[in-house]
Amino acid sequence: MSGAETMGLRERTRRAVRRELAGLALRMFVERGYEATTVEDIAAAAGLSKRSFFRYFPAKEDVLFGDVEDLAVQIADEVRTRPQGESAWECLHAVLREWEPRLHTAQRDLDALRLIETTPPLRARLHQKRDELRALVAAALRERPGADLDAFTADLLTAAAGAALDAASREWLRTDGTADRAALIDRAFAALAPAPARTAEPRRFRLDAPLGVLPVPEDHGFRNPAPSDVPALGDLMWRAYQGTPDQADAGADVPAAIEEIGLLFAGEHGRFVPSASFLAEDGEGRPVAASLVTLWKGVPLLAYLFTSPDHVGQGLGRRLALASMHALADQGHELLSLAVTEDNVRARRLYESIGFVPHVPSA
């Protein structure tokens, strides 16, 4: 057996033992309490000596954080190899979204996460590990081909990315692990995304969907909006658009968004069609998503489709759009159009999945 093969076997064995110790320690911490469980207890339960334990972990609190050091190096390496045209923030989002489940293995377990959150030595060790990781990632950001980042900006972006992961973890904990963790990370990164410097209006293009090919609709349970809904819809739109490529469309603040919805109802973007517009409500009757349709030069236009950040990922946007499409088909319309921002990849994918295609001008 070669030296490389021997070292590979030894390293795999070492990692297997570390995983076994980590799982054993977590069960003992949960059952007995962190402070009441000693290194001697963990080692004895694993059939090891105390000295052997310290060959695998430098301290008791390290047993819950696995191979964070190794993962940090791998994450930094991946940051360096991301596409050159990708912004630093997009790079962090893509890499950390993929690595987050492995970054803190213990956090995939609710008991472990609660233990870390409520035990000061573990929280302190977690923050130390994260600081080390962030330093490596910030350096890697500056080393990317074509990167033009100063140390301050790299540190700031990396710290913001860490805050996004922390917020997603805490929300996941509050939901007892029922929330979609990847969706929480996407939401956090969208909320903290740096506003792009634009020298011109965002490029938009038209999509059309035929209305005569839809399957028989299910009872959607939505209601048509009324003028009294304008303030709530404005507030909802402003919150929904924050951190998206369409953020400017909602205006500078909630009153500006309310004014925009009022103009829509008043016919600023073509005659408003309440019978083909719908809103979804929560259990307390508050709007959480809406599709708003107008007639622009005689053609139905999906002027706005938005969902509260708290309800993203539940399929409300798709169901609302389909409800509007069915209502328009019942009214004898054959086509629904919309304008989508080129950078809004998420919206484009939704629309394309329900039959929208790029507009082809008539000859």
Side-chain angles (χ1 to χ4, degrees):
M1 181 179 292
S2 68
E5 290 172 335
T6 301
M7 289 301 293
L9 178 60
R10 288 175 180 172
E11 181 60 23
R12 289 195 296 273
T13 301
R14 177 177 177 275
R15 292 184 178 184
V17 174
R18 281 167 62 92
R19 286 194 296 270
E20 183 180 347
L21 280 172
L24 177 61
L26 172 61
R27 291 193 295 273
M28 296 177 72
F29 291 157
V30 171
E31 292 170 1
R32 306 181 184 184
Y34 175 78
E35 298 293 349
T37 305
T38 66
V39 169
E40 290 88 345
D41 295 334
I42 300 169
L48 299 173
S49 66
K50 179 179 177 180
R51 182 176 180 180
S52 295
F53 175 92
F54 287 119
R55 286 207 302 267
Y56 295 101
F57 296 101
K60 183 174 81 167
E61 57 267 27
D62 287 318
V63 75
L64 285 185
F65 299 110
D67 298 319
V68 173
E69 295 87 352
D70 294 338
L71 288 174
V73 173
Q74 295 176 54
I75 291 170
D77 286 343
E78 185 165 333
V79 165
R80 293 186 188 92
T81 61
R82 292 293 299 177
Q84 184 171 338
E86 192 174 59
S87 72
W89 187 249
E90 290 170 335
C91 168
L92 290 171
H93 184 188
V95 174
L96 294 177
R97 189 183 193 276
E98 177 183 350
W99 280 89
E100 193 272 346
R102 288 172 281 177
L103 182 59
H104 296 121
T105 303
Q107 290 190 24
R108 287 182 293 181
D109 185 288
L110 280 170
D111 289 335
L113 184 53
R114 289 194 177 102
L115 183 68
I116 292 169
E117 289 290 328
T118 58
T119 308
L122 293 177
R123 283 182 58 82
R125 192 60 168 168
L126 175 63
H127 287 298
Q128 180 185 345
K129 294 284 187 183
R130 288 179 176 174
D131 286 344
E132 294 168 358
L133 167 64
R134 289 168 188 171
L136 283 174
V137 172
L141 275 179
R142 301 187 66 197
E143 294 165 6
R144 296 175 66 211
D148 185 22
L149 282 181
D150 57 81
F152 172 81
T153 303
D155 283 343
L156 181 62
L157 291 174
T158 307
L165 292 185
D166 290 345
S169 278
R170 286 195 292 271
E171 179 63 16
W172 184 76
L173 177 59
R174 281 191 288 268
T175 65
D176 289 329
T178 60
D180 183 332
R181 196 151 176 163
L184 290 174
I185 292 172
D186 290 343
R187 176 181 165 191
F189 269 85
L192 296 179
R198 293 190 180 270
T199 57
E201 286 295 313
R203 181 172 177 266
R204 304 175 194 269
F205 54 93
R206 175 176 165 178
L207 298 178
D208 295 331
L211 301 177
V213 295
L214 298 172
V216 177
E218 298 179 0
D219 182 18
H220 49 67
F222 304 136
R223 72 170 174 86
N224 302 119
S228 59
D229 294 311
V230 167
L233 287 172
D235 177 79
L236 172 61
M237 182 175 76
W238 192 85
R239 289 187 291 111
Y241 277 23
Q242 297 311 294
T244 74
D246 297 317
Q247 180 171 331
D249 290 350
D253 50 27
V254 172
I258 293 174
E259 180 181 3
E260 171 62 21
I261 295 296
L263 291 172
L264 178 79
F265 272 60
E268 181 73 14
H269 305 299
R271 182 169 64 83
F272 182 56
V273 187
S275 60
S277 301
F278 296 94
L279 59 83
E281 297 174 312
D282 63 14
E284 298 180 6
R286 295 172 297 199
V288 295
S291 62
L292 304 176
V293 174
T294 66
L295 279 181
W296 179 255
K297 298 181 178 180
V299 178
L301 172 70
L302 183 58
Y304 288 112
L305 177 69
F306 45 78
T307 302
S308 164
D310 297 331
H311 290 75
V312 168
Q314 299 179 14
L316 286 174
R318 172 187 294 272
R319 291 166 52 208
L320 282 162
L322 288 173
S324 291
M325 294 168 75
H326 284 298
L328 289 166
D330 289 343
Q331 295 170 23
H333 295 284
E334 298 179 353
L335 193 74
L336 175 61
S337 295
L338 58 85
V340 66
T341 304
E342 182 178 31
D343 295 340
N344 199 336
V345 177
R346 183 173 183 174
R348 288 167 54 192
R349 287 175 179 168
L350 167 61
Y351 296 137
E352 290 167 0
S353 73
I354 55 177
F356 282 87
V357 296
H359 171 68
V360 178
S362 57

